[in-house]
């Protein structure tokens, strides 16, 4: 009991400190990036996988080289689409490669991990620090509109019109970001805990925090991590996963979707810079390096996974690393509740 109380107090203390830092600095523009391309592969027409080694302008903080994987998808290409997927197993948890291979039509070509979830795979006491107060009993209950905390997923997932999980209504998830997927009408919305999407939305996936927002009137993007977001992962330096949209300024509509992972470790806290990026610098990467107009974070740390079909076959197609180990000894992929995939549409 003492350990549980200590963890709760620690989480609350980190949140208070995080909120102060957010107010002071997290929405300031960040520094430039220098990247060297390691490889670039066109998976299908309009879908490109790139691996780069990147450095920031502040070499005293980060490791000399940060490995970044990205998938860019042309939103004007009607032969492909981005779509969420949920774990298709009795445990409701799968690795990203397993999720991809469970796809009935076997037409996923790349993907990343999705949003936060309750770790039902951990026996004994476990505290969900994103949806604080959500119980194991709720996590193991069927998804329900009557209780949005029911189900393993902590964030909303909607696939072809069917809600697979809801945004939980707990502290720790006050300002979830939702990627709404609808071709060039795609956008990222920042909502409040427990909120859902309009019934007309067919495909969406939520996590957070929001990273970058776009002002259509000025056609300018800016780092935008909500100051009232109490997501404890905002400050953690870790492996990271993000999604972004690039807007065509001639039409003010998105023309490119980006899936991004940055290598790193897990559970390193807000002061261990060697473990990877925090949310502020992930926002900088998405805005300043990739030029995204809108961007949001997905689950991070040990959950961070990028999968590319037929790549890196000794690791089931996983091209990212969520721990700093070489060769891969224990660096995943972790079982997760959902993911976001690029799907080739049949004629």
């Amino acid at each position: 009991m003492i350990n549980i109380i200590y963890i709760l107090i620690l989480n609350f203390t980190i949140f208070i400190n995080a909120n102060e830092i957010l107010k002071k600095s997290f929405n300031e523009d960040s520094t430039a990036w220098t990247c060297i391309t390691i490889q670039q592969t066109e998976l299908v027409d309009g879908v490109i996988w790139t691996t780069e080694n990147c450095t920031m302008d502040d070499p005293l903080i980060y490791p000399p080289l940060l490995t970044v994987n990205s998938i860019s998808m042309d939103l004007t290409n009607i032969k492909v689409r981005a779509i969420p997927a949920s774990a298709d197993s009795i445990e409701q948890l799968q690795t990203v490669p397993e999720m991809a291979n469970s796809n009935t039509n076997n037409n996923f070509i790349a993907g990343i991990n999705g949003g936060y979830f309750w770790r039902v795979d951990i026996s004994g006491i476990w505290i969900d620090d994103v949806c604080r107060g959500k119980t194991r009993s709720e996590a193991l209950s069927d998804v329900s509109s009557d209780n949005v905390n029911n189900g393993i997923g902590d964030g909303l997932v909607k696939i072809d019109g069917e809600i697979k999980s809801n945004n939980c209504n707990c502290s720790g998830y006050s300002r979830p970001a939702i990627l709404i997927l609808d071709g060039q009408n795609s956008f990222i919305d920042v909502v409040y805990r427990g909120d859902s999407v309009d019934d007309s939305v067919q495909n969406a996936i939520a996590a957070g925090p929001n990273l970058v927002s776009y002002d259509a009137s000025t056609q300018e993007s800016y780092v935008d991590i909500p100051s009232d977001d109490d997501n404890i992962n905002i400050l953690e330096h870790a492996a990271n996963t993000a999604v972004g949209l690039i807007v065509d300024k001639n039409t003010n509509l998105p023309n490119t979707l980006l899936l991004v992972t940055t290598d790193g470790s897990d559970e390193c806290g807000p002061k261990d810079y060697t473990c990877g990026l925090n949310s502020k610098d992930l926002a900088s990467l998405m805005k300043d390096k990739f030029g995204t107009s809108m961007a949001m974070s997905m689950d991070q740390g040990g959950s961070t996974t990028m999968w590319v079909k037929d790549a890196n076959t000794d690791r089931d197609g996983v091209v990212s690393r969520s721990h700093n180990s070489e060769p891969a000894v224990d660096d995943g992929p972790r079982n997760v509740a959902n993911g976001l995939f690029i799907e080739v549409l049949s004629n």
Side-chain angles (χ1 to χ4, degrees):
M1 177 63 69
I2 293 176
N3 288 339
I4 296 175
I5 293 173
Y6 173 75
I7 292 171
L8 290 173
I9 293 173
L10 178 62
N11 283 350
F12 180 74
T13 303
I14 292 174
F15 163 63
I16 294 298
N17 292 335
N19 205 34
E20 288 302 310
I21 294 175
L22 281 169
K23 290 177 181 177
K24 291 178 182 178
S25 65
F26 260 46
N27 291 338
E28 297 172 359
D29 282 343
S30 301
T31 53
W33 292 81
T34 301
C35 297
I36 299 173
T37 300
I38 304 303
Q39 71 80 35
Q40 189 169 76
T41 305
E42 185 173 56
L43 304 179
V44 296
D45 185 33
V47 179
I48 298 173
W49 163 44
T50 305
T51 305
E52 299 171 274
N53 283 339
C54 297
T55 58
M56 284 186 69
D57 275 357
D58 193 343
L60 298 179
I61 293 181
Y62 292 104
L65 294 177
L66 176 73
T67 300
V68 179
N69 280 280
S70 62
I71 304 283
S72 65
M73 189 191 87
D74 181 358
L75 290 171
T76 68
N77 183 354
I78 62 174
K79 295 182 179 181
V80 293
R81 70 168 178 168
I83 185 169
S86 291
D88 181 20
S89 68
I90 295 175
E91 298 80 10
Q92 299 179 64
L93 294 174
Q94 287 181 310
T95 66
V96 172
E98 288 171 344
M99 224 177 294
N101 293 326
S102 296
N103 175 244
T104 305
N105 297 320
N106 194 31
N107 50 2
F108 288 170
I109 59 170
I112 55 173
N113 64 287
Y116 304 103
F117 60 98
W118 217 96
R119 294 293 303 276
V120 294
D121 56 330
I122 295 178
S123 60
I125 296 172
W126 185 77
I127 295 174
D128 187 340
D129 58 11
V130 172
C131 288
R132 296 192 282 272
K134 180 172 175 176
T135 66
R136 180 180 291 272
S137 175
E138 287 176 317
L140 293 173
S141 298
D142 292 336
V143 173
S144 167
S145 58
D146 295 329
N147 183 354
V148 294
N149 292 343
N150 282 1
I152 287 177
D154 287 343
L156 182 138
V157 175
K158 194 172 184 181
I159 305 172
D160 288 335
E162 181 181 354
I163 291 180
K164 299 292 188 177
S165 63
N166 293 292
N167 284 325
C168 66
N169 189 9
C170 299
S171 61
Y173 199 57
S174 63
R175 300 304 305 278
I178 306 177
L179 172 64
I180 295 171
L181 293 155
D182 185 17
Q184 287 194 274
N185 294 311
S186 300
F187 65 97
I188 292 172
D189 194 16
V190 183
V191 299
Y192 291 90
R193 69 188 199 187
D195 283 353
S196 190
V197 291
D198 189 84
D199 289 343
S200 63
V201 172
Q202 293 298 296
N203 293 292
I205 186 166
N210 189 69
L211 299 173
V212 181
S213 293
Y214 179 71
D215 185 336
S217 64
T218 62
Q219 296 189 319
E220 295 293 332
S221 59
Y222 53 98
V223 173
D224 183 25
I225 302 172
S227 61
D228 58 344
D229 194 337
D230 57 355
N231 187 329
I232 199 171
N233 293 297
I234 288 174
L235 283 185
E236 182 184 5
H237 289 271
N240 267 285
T241 308
V243 295
L245 295 165
I246 298 175
V247 169
D248 180 348
K249 293 184 179 179
N250 292 319
T251 62
N252 253 359
L253 295 173
N255 61 7
T256 303
L257 172 72
L258 278 167
L259 314 181
V260 176
T261 60
T262 62
D263 286 2
S265 294
D266 190 20
E267 298 179 353
C268 294
K271 294 184 178 181
D272 192 344
Y273 299 97
T274 63
C275 290
L277 304 182
N278 62 17
S279 292
K280 176 185 175 182
D281 294 316
L282 182 61
S284 166
L285 180 77
M286 297 301 287
K287 171 182 169 288
D288 301 327
K289 191 271 186 245
F290 286 107
T292 58
S293 309
M294 294 169 268
M296 59 178 273
S297 178
M298 307 301 276
D299 194 4
Q300 61 178 165
S303 295
T304 287
T305 311
M306 178 175 285
W307 167 83
V308 176
K309 186 176 183 178
D310 298 329
N312 216 358
T313 53
D314 59 327
R315 299 183 68 229
D316 295 324
V318 175
V319 298
S320 59
R321 291 186 181 274
S322 55
H323 290 76
N324 292 326
S325 59
E326 184 63 42
V329 174
D330 200 7
D331 64 343
R334 173 190 286 174
N335 286 332
V336 294
N338 50 72
L340 178 62
F341 293 88
I342 307 296
E343 179 182 25
V344 177
L345 301 175
S346 57
N347 295 329

